[in-house]
Amino acid sequence: MAFVITDKCLMCGSCAEQCPAEAIELVDEHYLINPDKCLSCGSCAAQCPAEAIAKAEAEEYVAEGVEELAAEAEEAAAEAEPCYKIDYEKCLSCGGCAEQCPAEAIAMDEESRYFINPEKCLRCGGCAEQCPAEAISMC
């Protein structure tokens, strides 16, 4: 499910800078989230100092006339192959990737190694950006 920017927006632009999919655009002096590009990772909402970004409900998509685009984006994300992996030789086991992950897709296995659950992964890339050892890369 994509996100929407509410009228609490301060127009600071921090959400657009944070978005890994470049789904946030300035249109007619308002920031808007393109649901066709949105990965639903939540990094924009986490970055917003005004808490002006919320998960969009189906009714909001209907109101904006883009319900079909949002459904297509969600379907494409669900069908996508896992696209991030952890290089265990580089991994420092610091846990920064797991703490940053909005989907809680990164956990530790029985050998005390972090792994990415492809069924939960939103493919936002935040884990790779967070990793100080550059141990996370695209498959």
Side-chain angles (χ1 to χ4, degrees), residues 25-116:
E25 304 164 7
L26 186 61
V27 178
D28 295 328
E29 299 182 25
H30 297 284
Y31 282 100
L32 298 175
I33 299 174
N34 181 337
D36 193 33
K37 291 182 178 180
C38 181
L39 301 173
S40 298
C41 67
S43 58
C44 58
Q47 181 69 26
C48 181
E51 297 180 354
I53 301 174
K55 284 190 176 183
E57 299 298 325
E59 302 84 53
E60 291 170 287
Y61 287 127
V62 173
E64 295 177 23
V66 292
E67 182 179 37
E68 187 175 314
L69 289 176
E72 288 174 10
E74 283 185 27
E75 186 177 310
E79 292 175 359
E81 292 294 320
C83 54
Y84 288 95
K85 63 181 178 181
I86 299 174
D87 181 340
Y88 296 118
E89 291 184 18
K90 291 182 179 179
C91 180
L92 303 173
S93 296
C94 67
C97 57
E99 290 174 17
Q100 184 282 333
C101 183
E104 298 179 354
I106 302 175
M108 194 172 276
D109 65 15
E110 62 278 349
E111 296 176 25
S112 299
R113 298 185 309 180
Y114 285 95
F115 69 95
I116 301 172

Side-chain angles (χ1 to χ4, degrees), residues 115-127:
F115 69 95
I116 301 172
N117 181 337
E119 292 178 15
K120 289 184 173 182
C121 181
L122 299 172
R123 296 150 186 84
C124 67
C127 57

